[in-house]
Amino acid sequence: MALSQLSQWNIPPELLQEVSKYATPTGFADYIALAILVGTGATFLSRGILWDKPDPYHHLAFERPQLKNGGQLGANANRETRNIAQKLEETGKNIVVFWGSQSGTAEGFAHRLAREITLRWGQETMTADLSDYDPATIAEIPDSNLAIFIVSTYGEGDPSDNTADFWSWINKADAVSLANLRYAAFGLGNSNYKFYNRVIDVIAEGLEKFGANAFMPIGRANDAEGATEEDFMAWKDNLFTCFRTQFGFQEVEAKYIPTLMVDEDESLEPIDLHNGEPNNQLDGHKSATQSSPVRTLSITNSRELFTASDRNCLHMDLDLSSQPDLTYKTGDHLAIWPGNPDAEVELLLQVLGISSRRNIPLIIRAIDSATKITIPTPTSAIALFRHYLEICAPVNRDNIRDLAQFAPTPEAKAYLMKLGQDKEFYADFINCTHLNLGRLLQLACPDQAWSNLPLAYLVETMPHIRPRYYSISSSSVVSPRKPSITVIASTNPLQDNANELVHGVTSNYLLAISQHLHSQPHPHGLTYHLNGPSDALEGGKVFAHIRRSKFKLPITSKTPLIMVGAGTGLAPFRAFLSERCQVQKIGKEIGQMILFFGCRNPNEDFIYREELEEMQKVLGDKLRLVTAFSRDEGSPRKYVQDRVSELGDDVVKLIDEGGSFYVCGRAGMAREVEKAVGGAMKIAKGWSDDETNNWSKAVKKKNKWQEDVWG
C-alpha cells in the first residue's frame, strides 16, 4: 500500500516517514523475508485449489444410502423412524418379523413368513431389517404384539452385516427390561462350521436374560444337510400350531393380497428407467463401512487355469484405474453382480405371455407403508428378469402352492397343489428336474400363458439377485490398481438325472464374459446380455464392489505363516506370497512360511503351479510347499488336513515362534484342519482337551488364527 494512500487515514507525516524507513526493503535479508511472507500468503490462499484438495468422495462416508435411489426409497427415507415400537403403531401391525441375513436366505424367509401370516391368519405383519431400527426400542414393543427373529450365522459364528448393531447391543446392554416381549426365533446355520447357529443361540440367551418370553422352542436350519428349506417349513408349522392353540388365531383361506403394485406407464421415456444397474443401497452402517460403492470395472485379462468335463477355472484381472474412489488391501473380497442366462429370461417372458411387452416401463409402488421397495424403480420386465430377480433359483413348496391360485387350467392347479403339498413327491422331483420358476410354469401348463400371474407377486416372492464374493488373489502392494480373482465355473448334474445340468449363476456369467473376450462360445452354449444395461458393460466389464476383510497378513513381515488352502482357497495365499516376495526384494526380512495346498490331481487342477514354483525360487528356504492330492492315480488319497497332521511338529514349531495360521476353502475342510492342529498341539504340549480348546479360542481372539471359508 502506498504512503499516499495511508495519508488518507490522517496519520501524522512524521510517523509515515518513520514507517517508510522500515517498509522499504534495504538488503538481501529483507527481500528473503518478503519472499517468505508472500510465499506463505500465496500458499494459504491456494489451499483447496492447488493443494489439500477436498476428497470428492468424502461425502460418501456420511451419505445415507437409502436416499440415493429416488422414488419410493428416496421419498420416504427422511420420514422413517428408527423406533420399531413406533413403527408398529404407525402402521397398525401386531407382529414383526426381524431378519439378519448375509446371503439373502434369512431375508427371504422373513418376507415369506410375514406374507403367509397376513394371508392365512389375518394378522397385520411386517418385516424389519435389524439394521433399520434402534435395538433399544425393542423394549418398547407392547405385550399385545409378537416378535419373530430369523437370523443367519455367518462364517465362524459371526453375525451378518445387518445384524452387527443388534449383536453389539444384545451383548453389551445392561439394565434392560424385555418383560413385555413375546418372541419366537429361527436360526440359519451350517454344522460344517464349528459354531453352528451360534448367532441365534446368543440372541435368544440375551433376550431371555433381559426377561423376554419365548413362546416356542428355537428352530435351527442346517445347510450342511441341504435341509434349510424343509427345516424352515417344519418350524413354521410349529409356529402356526402356537398361533392356533396359544393365541386363538383363526386360520382363513389364503388368497394373494399384494403389498406393492407393479404398473405399466408408457408415458415414461427409456432414459427414465433403471435398466439393471445394481441397487447401490447398503444394509446398515457396518455394510457401508465394509463395502465400497458398486462400480463398473473392466476385465483386462482372463485365462484358463484348467478345464475339466465339469469345471472351468479362471484367473481374471480387473482394472480400478477408472474408479479412483475404489481401493483394496491384500486379503479383501471382490463382489461380482451377475446377470441371468438369456434362455431362462426368454422362457419366463414367454410363459407369462409378456414377451412383446418386455420393454414397457414399469413403476413399483408400495401399497403397505411397511413395505420396503429394494428394486430400483421405474424399470422394465426385461430388466427385472435379467438383472434384479434370481429367476434361476429353485422354487420352494410354499411358493408352488401359492402359484396354484394363478394357474390357467384346473389341471395345472391340481398338479401344483400336489407338488407343493407332498414333501416326498417334491423331493423326488427336484432330484431329477431343475425346478426354477420358468421351467415349473411351463411344465405345469405348456400350452397356455400364465396371464393371471401378476408381476407384483414375483417381485414380492422371488429372491433378488445378490453379489457373489471372491477372495482377491493379488497383492495390493504389487498390483494396487489391478485386483485379480480366481473363479471355478461349476456345472453340476442333478442327483438322479445326469443329463439335467445346473449351472452356477455368477461363475458361468463370468465364464461367458471370458469366452467372449477370446471370441469363443460358452462351453455349454449359455448366452447372456453381456453389454449390460444401457451398454454399460460393453467390452468386457462387470458391476462390482470391494468388501473389506479381516483376513490379513501380520503387520511385521518377520512373522512366520502357516497357510492351508484347497482348490480356489489358494487365491488369497497367492496374494500373500506375492507380497512377501516383493517385501524380500526391497531388503526386508521375512518369516518362515509353510503352504499346504490340496486339489484332486497334480496334472488336472493344480492351479498357479508355475507361479508357486517361481515364488519358491525367489523365497528360497523361506517357503515350504506341501501338496495333497485326493485323486492321484497310484497314490494314496490325501487331504490337506492329513498333511498338516503329518507335519505337526513343524506346524507347532512355527506357531511357538509366533506364527499366524490361515485357512481358506470349504468350512468342512477348515474344521478338519483345526482338529489336526489341535491334535498336534495336544501331543507336543501334553495338553488336555480343555487346554487345547482354550488355546484355540485364545489364538483366534488374538487374530493369530484366521479363516476365509464358505459352505
Side-chain angles (χ1 to χ4, degrees), residues 125-194:
T125 309
M126 66 171 283
T127 57
D129 179 337
L130 280 167
S131 67
D132 282 346
Y133 298 94
D134 182 350
T137 63
I138 290 176
E140 300 176 30
I141 297 176
D143 60 6
S144 57
N145 292 356
L146 300 178
I148 300 171
F149 295 85
I150 300 181
V151 180
S152 64
T153 295
Y154 168 60
E156 283 298 331
D158 297 322
S160 61
D161 289 345
N162 77 306
T163 312
D165 291 342
F166 181 78
W167 178 260
S168 178
W169 176 78
I170 203 76
N171 283 293
K172 296 178 181 178
D174 55 15
V176 173
S177 174
L178 298 179
N180 289 330
L181 185 68
R182 297 184 296 172
Y183 78 96
F186 183 77
L188 286 78
N190 186 315
S191 60
N192 282 332
Y193 292 88
K194 183 176 181 180

Side-chain angles (χ1 to χ4, degrees), residues 293-439:
V294 180
R295 294 287 185 259
T296 303
L297 302 182
S298 295
I299 296 174
T300 57
N301 176 56
S302 179
R303 57 188 170 94
E304 294 265 12
L305 297 177
F306 72 82
T307 59
S309 59
D310 59 341
R311 298 179 300 162
N312 293 69
C313 189
L314 304 173
H315 172 91
M316 307 186 92
D317 295 313
L318 296 97
D319 190 359
L320 305 181
S321 300
S322 64
Q323 306 294 341
D325 59 321
L326 290 195
T327 59
Y328 79 98
K329 297 294 183 184
T330 305
D332 283 346
H333 299 131
L334 186 76
I336 302 292
W337 293 76
N340 287 312
D342 291 337
E344 302 298 344
V345 173
E346 292 300 324
L347 174 61
L348 191 50
L349 289 168
Q350 177 188 334
V351 297
L352 294 175
I354 58 173
S355 292
S356 62
R357 306 189 67 77
R358 65 181 65 201
N359 295 312
I360 301 298
L362 301 174
I363 294 182
I364 305 173
R365 295 188 181 93
I367 298 173
D368 187 328
S369 60
T371 299
K372 189 176 180 181
I373 305 296
T374 56
I375 290 179
T377 180
T379 186
S380 63
I382 190 68
L384 282 175
F385 297 156
R386 274 180 181 162
H387 304 291
Y388 291 134
L389 298 178
E390 289 270 18
I391 66 171
C392 295
V395 186
N396 61 70
R397 289 197 294 122
D398 279 348
N399 283 357
I400 291 175
R401 289 198 302 267
D402 285 349
L403 286 166
Q405 64 187 296
F406 307 113
T409 66
E411 294 77 14
K413 181 175 182 178
Y415 178 78
L416 292 181
M417 289 302 294
K418 176 175 175 56
L419 189 59
Q421 292 175 340
D422 190 328
K423 179 179 177 180
E424 292 185 1
F425 180 55
Y426 174 82
D428 291 341
F429 191 82
I430 63 172
N431 283 337
C432 60
T433 305
H434 180 38
L435 198 67
N436 62 32
L437 181 64
R439 298 182 186 197

Side-chain angles (χ1 to χ4, degrees), residues 262-297:
V262 179
D263 294 322
E264 292 186 352
D265 187 347
E266 298 189 53
S267 67
L268 295 172
E269 298 294 328
I271 197 172
D272 298 324
L273 305 185
H274 295 272
N275 294 309
E277 305 84 354
N279 186 349
N280 218 350
Q281 180 183 359
L282 300 173
D283 296 325
H285 173 70
K286 185 174 180 181
S287 291
T289 57
Q290 287 192 338
S291 297
S292 74
V294 180
R295 294 287 185 259
T296 303
L297 302 182

